[in-house]
Amino acid sequence: MPRTLISLGSINADFQVRLNQAPGSQETLLAHGLHRLSGGKAANTAYLGALFGHRSVLVGRVGADDLADQALEPLRKVGVCLEAVTHAPGASTAVSMIAVPATGKKQIILANEANDRWDAMARERLSHAVSAAALPALLVLDYEIPAEVVRLAIEAAYQRGLPVVLDPSFPERVERGLMSKVRALTPNAEEAAALLGLVVDTEQEAGKAAKALRELGAAIGVVKLPDGGCVLACDDGVFRVPSNGQPAVDATGAGDAFTGTFAIALLEGLAPLEAALWGSAAANLAVTTFGSQPAYQGREPVKALAEQLRHGVTRLHE
Ligand code: RIB
């Protein structure tokens, strides 16, 4: 049965290139393989929502420019509802400049532009998207938009009883007082370290960080690890969910593949550990080709890989 996934946050025009050297190793680097793509955290999770057959509603801001078409066209094609995407007068659509070396470990420069330009009309569309969403529904969002907009959305979802999955990027924008209204927090290790003031370099440290996310108020704490696996803390305990160990071609959008698919699994009523298996499987599959959305895969491949990963789940000592 289709459900409603509301994705709120960044919508970007991605410009991706490949590099033979490490980014930053010289003043000028010769790149190749330029791709113009749709990206941004909310755009990426909305794309997944449609790919998994749900009513997928995107809420965010773009400029009145050709970059908006680059960001929105692939979403339109996959069936994402764009009625709550509004134009910020005089602003550029956000742009991500992404360099991907042979290791697949991308480096991103983000010009956030329209993502940070919200007005009363945009807030009104957001409130309507949350209050009018056909149930069951879930809100997945990020902090690449103003903190006050995130607050408005979380409060509205909470009042309506919708579960909320929050990707706390940018971590410095996070308002801790809201975290008790959030069902799940899904930072990567770097964001978890910044958010919590902890070192998050090892599996055990990730376990402590996942538990600390719960102490902030979220029912579920997930720390996404650089290999595509994660550490999950929930009522059932603390678990390490593995990756399949395949080397990455391009890690761009893997974290969003995790968060989006994890949110979809919760929306479908799966338990947190099952949702984390889906998330890790989606992240593993997302790094096998270039780009974010073009690399995302649907329900069947994700479920098949999640079944394989299940055998490698371990419980961490608490
Ligand atoms: O999280 C990945 C996304 O954020 C990419 O699509 C790119 O837009 C980056 O800024």
Side-chain angles (χ1 to χ4, degrees):
M1 182 191 57
R3 294 156 191 251
T4 309
L5 185 76
I6 308 167
S7 297
L8 165 67
S10 53
I11 303 171
N12 305 339
D14 284 2
F15 290 80
Q16 286 195 254
V17 291
R18 312 219 67 166
L19 294 175
N20 292 331
Q21 310 92 320
S25 55
Q26 285 166 252
E27 205 168 279
T28 303
L29 291 171
L30 192 58
H32 57 97
L34 171 67
H35 288 262
R36 293 177 59 144
L37 300 165
S38 165
K41 292 186 183 305
N44 290 344
T45 59
Y47 187 93
L48 281 161
L51 205 59
F52 274 69
H54 293 294
R55 286 181 295 267
S56 186
V57 177
L58 177 61
V59 188
R61 299 287 273 168
V62 292
D65 52 22
D66 57 329
L67 297 168
D69 296 334
Q70 177 178 330
L72 297 179
E73 194 48 31
L75 303 168
R76 202 172 277 124
K77 278 200 181 124
V78 80
V80 173
C81 170
L82 300 175
E83 281 169 18
V85 175
T86 49
H87 291 88
S92 164
T93 299
V95 169
S96 269
M97 289 152 280
I98 307 171
V100 186
T103 59
K105 292 190 177 124
K106 87 288 181 184
Q107 193 152 86
I108 299 178
I109 298 173
L110 169 62
N112 214 29
E113 306 296 332
N115 288 329
D116 273 329
R117 300 272 292 273
W118 283 67
D119 56 20
M121 193 261 293
R123 288 192 193 88
E124 173 54 35
R125 292 278 185 95
L126 162 60
S127 300
H128 182 261
V130 174
S131 64
L135 299 176
L138 178 146
L139 171 69
V140 57
L141 75 172
D142 62 76
Y143 262 105
E144 291 183 353
I145 53 173
E148 36 132 358
V149 176
V150 171
R151 189 188 321 131
L152 173 71
I154 292 177
E155 297 285 6
Y158 184 74
Q159 273 179 18
R160 212 177 159 209
L162 306 189
V164 174
V165 174
L166 176 64
D167 182 333
S169 168
F170 309 110
E172 59 277 16
R173 291 189 178 182
V174 172
E175 294 184 85
R176 282 149 202 276
L178 283 172
M179 295 306 110
S180 59
K181 295 178 176 164
V182 165
R183 174 105 186 267
L185 269 165
T186 63
N188 62 28
E190 203 175 294
E191 290 154 357
L195 183 61
L196 299 163
L198 296 172
V199 175
V200 188
D201 289 339
T202 66
E203 204 170 276
Q204 292 302 328
E205 288 165 352
K208 283 191 186 137
K211 281 168 56 178
L213 293 173
R214 270 164 58 89
E215 282 155 22
L216 287 182
I220 304 168
V222 178
V223 177
K224 297 179 285 197
L225 299 176
D227 70 355
C230 74
V231 172
L232 163 79
C234 60
D235 286 349
D236 300 328
V238 182
F239 302 93
R240 166 73 159 113
V241 177
S243 77
N244 65 357
Q246 294 290 319
V249 172
D250 175 9
T252 310
D256 303 341
F258 183 102
T259 297
T261 311
F262 177 79
I264 289 165
L266 292 183
L267 174 62
E268 293 186 14
L270 271 62
L273 181 55
E274 293 301 311
L277 281 162
W278 279 32
S280 290
N284 278 243
L285 293 167
V287 302
T288 55
T289 50
F290 201 61
S292 305
Q293 294 163 22
Y296 290 168
Q297 299 193 29
R299 183 178 297 274
E300 291 317 316
V302 166
K303 280 175 73 175
L305 181 54
E307 275 316 305
Q308 287 176 35
L309 297 179
R310 181 187 306 285
H311 305 295
V313 172
T314 52
R315 189 183 275 274
L316 297 183
H317 293 296
E318 292 175 43

